[in-house]
Each structure stands twice: as structure tokens, then as C-alpha cells.
Amino acid sequence: MNPLDTTFEQVIRWLHSTRSLSAAQAEQLLAADYVEPQTKTNVDRAWYVKLFIGISAWIAALFLISGVSSLAFIASGPVMTVAGLVLLGAALALKWARQRSIFWGQFAFALSLTGQGLFFGGFAQILFDTLQQPEEGAISQLALIVMATQILLFFIFPDTVHRLLSVIFASVAGIVLLVNELTNWALPSEQIDELLGALPPLLLMLFAVGLLWVWQSRTKFFASRWHELHAPLGYGLAIVMFGTALATLFFDDMLDINTRFLWLASVGLALLLAHLAMQVIDEFANQFTQPRLAKFSVLIAIGLLLIPLYNTAGVWAALLALVLGFRQNGHLLLGLATLFLLFFIGFYYYSLDITLLNKSYALIGSGVLLLLVRFTAGRFLGHSDHEMARHDISPNRGEVSA
């Protein structure tokens, strides 16, 4: 069985075979013909029709947005704040009233973004101009308001992409708040610089742990009323994690990132990857002729990779997301992780302080090594697809043997 082509029925039958579900529970789920929650409307329309409907909604919204956005140049802070709240309320009401409409859904999306811009801009103008608060305190308050607003919108605005943006905006606002508060601590400047230098690697570890928890809890999300929150939260954390990894590459001088903290982040991500790999091997143990030897080989491979990649946390973050996407059958996560993995490996190759000839030798050696790994891994894998099909699960849909 290819995990990337697994159907819902196969998952239920496999869960029953591992005694995670009783026969009655499996029959109930199969009889219900459960599918992941999605809007069951407009399914007969081609994708390009939906695309142009969405574009038309944004064109229609632009006329309203252009007029309302002029408030940012002529209105005071309180007026902008009230106008932003009114637009947010209108967007929420429109989205909840017409959830199945592509046009009005995108129109509400555009109104929401405009309302947020006016609200945050007006609030910032109140803090800096009207109240004339110190810059440090005003930044912290504004970041806190942005983070609280995005968390609230994440729960109450029923749109996957909008919730994805809320996760990203809330994470960025939280980082700004944390950096601003650390900067204002009553500590010597050297210690503050040390803390700020350690922050990006620590945040990278934090987002990786959050990503792992969200995707490992996928079935719990789908079994609860919060099932619609899983996709935006899972993919949003992945984007934030990769964005943090990119910051360690391109803003290391600006952020004064200490190399030893990047080393710790790489080790931490490698440990998470090893833990996840052990779970994958246990989950597909019947496909391995020697599961223990496979686990040992994976641990040795991760340990050897740490030697040249001890200072490249982005590669480990991408590998973690790649294995996680494989285990959870997340095609989009797999694609996202693959793109970033290629980018981080390319950046690592580009930054090697060796000649082009030696880089060519390194590429040839890497290719040969990967072929050897593939050949060796094939010896560990057993052809057990037919064995899995002979589990105590009846081939007839909805009939599960006890």
C-alpha cells in the first residue's frame, strides 16, 4: 500500500487491524462514508470558472477599498479605527451569510483585509500621535493588539486562506512583541545581544514542535468540531517555520545570530526527525524485514548528516516537514517541504567555501551515496502489500470482522 494513495476506507480498515478501532466503530465510520469537511457547492464548475469568479469579486471590492482606504490619508486615528471595525464586522456578517458563494466569499475576504489595515493603522496613529507614548511601549501594545485580533479572527472567520494568514500574522506579531520586550529588559547590552542572537534558532525549534503536534493530532482535529482549523494551523506553522529558517540564512548579520545556537537548533530538529522516523518505522513495521536494523540505520544516517549540516537548520526543518507530510498523507505539505529542502540544499552547496571542482566531486559523491542508501533500504523492505491486504478486514465495504 502506497501511503500517498491511501483512501479513507483503507485508513479505517488499517486502524481496525491495529486494534485502534473496534469492529463496531469501523463499521459505523465506513457506513457514514465520511469525507474531510469541505464546502459541497460549485463542484460542477471548472476551476477556471471559480478563478474568474474570485477575480471578479476582488475587482468589485477594489472600488470600495480604494475609497475607504483614502481615510488613511485624511482621517484621524479614531476614525480609521472605527471604520476598520465596521469593515471587519461587515466582512464577518457577509462571510457567515454567504459561505457557499465564491464571489461574496472573496469579497468578504478583501473587506476583511482592508478593515484590518485601517484598524491597525488607526490604532497605531492613536498610540504614536494622540497619546504620544514611548516608541517601545507603543510597539509592544500594537503587536499585542495585532496578535489578539488575528487569534480571534482565526476562530471566527470561516475561510481557510484567511485563517492561514491569521496564523502567519499572529506569529509575526508575537515575534515582534518578544523582541521588543527583550530589548527593553534591564540587562547589559551584551546579554541582550546574546538573547536576541539565540531567539531565531529557539523560535525555529518552537515552531517545529508546534508543527509536529498539530499534524500528529490530525485525527483528533477531524473527530472534533475544530476540524476546519487543522489545515490553516498546520500549513501556517509550516510557513512560519520555514520563514524563520530563511531569517537565519539572510539576516544573520542583522540579527547577530550566534552559530552555536544554530548548532543546537540543528541538533534539536534532528532529534525530532529521528523520533518521527522511529514512529514511521513502527507504523509500517510489517513492511520491513528487519525493523530494528532499519531504525539503527536511520539513526546512524541522521548522526552522519549532522556532521556536515550542523549549521544548516533549514535542511533539518525541511526534512522534518517532508517525513511528517509523508506520514500524514499531506500532499501540499510534501510539496512545500520538497521546495524548501531543494532551496536549503542549494544554498548550502552555494555557500561551501571550496572550488567548483570539489563541489562537483561532492555532488557526484552525494548521488552515489543516495543510490547506495536506496539499494540498502530496499533490502530492509519486505513486499508485504499483499500481507496487509490479508488482515482481518473483510474486502466488502462496511463489513469488518471482529
Side-chain angles (χ1 to χ4, degrees):
M1 180 188 298
N2 185 358
L4 297 182
D5 297 324
T6 304
T7 64
F8 175 74
E9 179 184 358
Q10 291 171 325
V11 171
I12 295 302
R13 296 186 183 281
W14 177 80
L15 287 174
H16 173 69
S17 70
T18 59
R19 303 186 186 279
S20 299
L21 288 176
S22 66
Q25 290 173 326
E27 289 177 358
Q28 183 180 5
L29 288 171
L30 289 174
D33 194 19
Y34 176 86
V35 295
E36 292 186 11
Q38 56 184 337
T39 302
K40 298 182 180 179
T41 183
N42 300 316
V43 293
D44 55 330
R45 293 176 177 171
W47 65 268
Y48 49 84
V49 176
K50 298 179 182 179
L51 175 63
F52 282 109
I53 292 175
I55 293 175
S56 66
W58 279 88
I59 294 176
L62 283 177
F63 292 98
L64 177 62
I65 291 173
S66 59
V68 175
S69 300
S70 61
L71 291 174
F73 301 98
I74 61 176
S76 61
V79 174
M80 290 175 57
T81 304
V82 173
L85 289 175
V86 170
L87 283 182
L88 275 176
L92 279 170
L94 184 60
K95 182 63 179 178
W96 279 102
R98 305 294 299 272
Q99 288 192 48
R100 298 186 177 183
S101 172
I102 298 176
F103 179 87
W104 292 112
Q106 292 300 309
F107 192 87
F109 191 106
L111 286 183
S112 175
L113 293 183
T114 306
Q116 292 178 55
L118 287 175
F119 174 67
F120 297 140
F123 193 81
Q125 188 172 343
I126 292 174
L127 290 176
F128 287 99
D129 297 338
T130 307
L131 300 181
Q132 295 184 351
Q133 293 192 7
E135 182 178 353
E136 295 80 7
I139 292 176
S140 294
Q141 293 182 43
L142 181 60
L144 187 60
I145 288 295
V146 172
M147 185 169 62
T149 304
Q150 296 301 331
I151 292 175
L152 179 62
L153 290 174
F154 176 78
F155 287 100
I156 66 176
F157 199 96
D159 184 89
T160 300
V161 179
H162 194 282
R163 283 170 168 158
L164 175 71
L165 293 178
S166 293
V167 173
I168 297 174
F169 293 156
S171 301
V172 173
I175 293 174
V176 172
L177 176 63
L178 184 58
V179 170
N180 192 65
E181 291 299 316
L182 286 177
T183 306
N184 296 326
W185 276 11
L187 293 174
S189 59
E190 294 80 7
Q191 295 183 13
I192 292 179
D193 292 340
E194 190 84 2
L195 289 174
L196 293 177
L199 188 59
L202 294 178
L203 287 174
L204 183 59
M205 276 293 302
L206 178 64
F207 291 133
V209 171
L211 178 72
L212 192 62
W213 176 82
V214 169
W215 281 93
Q216 296 280 55
S217 306
R218 190 180 188 182
T219 54
K220 295 181 180 179
F221 273 91
F222 287 158
S224 68
R225 62 174 180 170
W226 309 109
H227 49 76
E228 295 181 349
L229 304 181
H230 177 268
L233 183 59
Y235 291 114
L237 286 176
I239 293 174
V240 173
M241 181 184 70
F242 289 133
T244 307
L246 289 174
T248 63
L249 292 179
F250 297 104
F251 301 101
D252 53 345
D253 294 333
M254 181 186 303
L255 299 175
D256 195 22
I257 299 175
N258 198 307
T259 304
R260 62 176 178 172
F261 294 115
L262 279 180
W263 178 81
L264 291 175
S266 298
V267 171
L269 291 170
L271 291 176
L272 289 177
L273 177 62
H275 172 70
L276 183 61
M278 297 303 103
Q279 291 182 339
V280 172
I281 294 176
D282 288 335
E283 186 174 345
F284 298 95
N286 55 353
Q287 297 190 22
F288 289 89
T289 56
Q290 303 180 56
R292 291 186 178 180
L293 185 57
K295 289 183 178 181
F296 180 75
S297 301
V298 169
L299 292 177
I300 292 298
I302 292 176
L304 292 177
L305 280 176
L306 267 175
I307 297 175
L309 300 178
Y310 74 97
N311 203 26
T312 312
V315 173
W316 295 105
L319 286 173
L320 178 67
L322 189 69
V323 178
L324 190 60
F326 168 80
R327 189 192 181 197
Q328 298 297 330
N329 198 20
H331 296 166
L332 184 57
L333 183 62
L334 271 172
L336 190 66
T338 302
L339 288 177
F340 276 97
L341 179 61
L342 293 174
F343 172 81
F344 285 121
I345 291 178
F347 186 88
Y348 174 76
Y349 170 80
Y350 176 79
S351 61
L352 288 176
D353 191 17
I354 56 178
T355 63
L356 288 176
L357 181 61
N358 290 331
K359 287 183 178 181
S360 301
Y361 290 149
L363 287 177
I364 295 173
S366 300
V368 173
L369 180 61
L370 289 176
L371 289 175
L372 290 176
V373 169
R374 177 64 185 90
F375 175 76
T376 306
R379 299 176 65 89
F380 293 149
L381 293 173
H383 301 285
S384 58
D385 286 347
H386 298 292
E387 297 178 7
M388 292 183 67
R390 291 198 301 267
H391 273 308
D392 58 338
I393 303 176
S394 171
N396 296 326
R397 182 175 182 84
E399 298 179 5
V400 183
S401 61

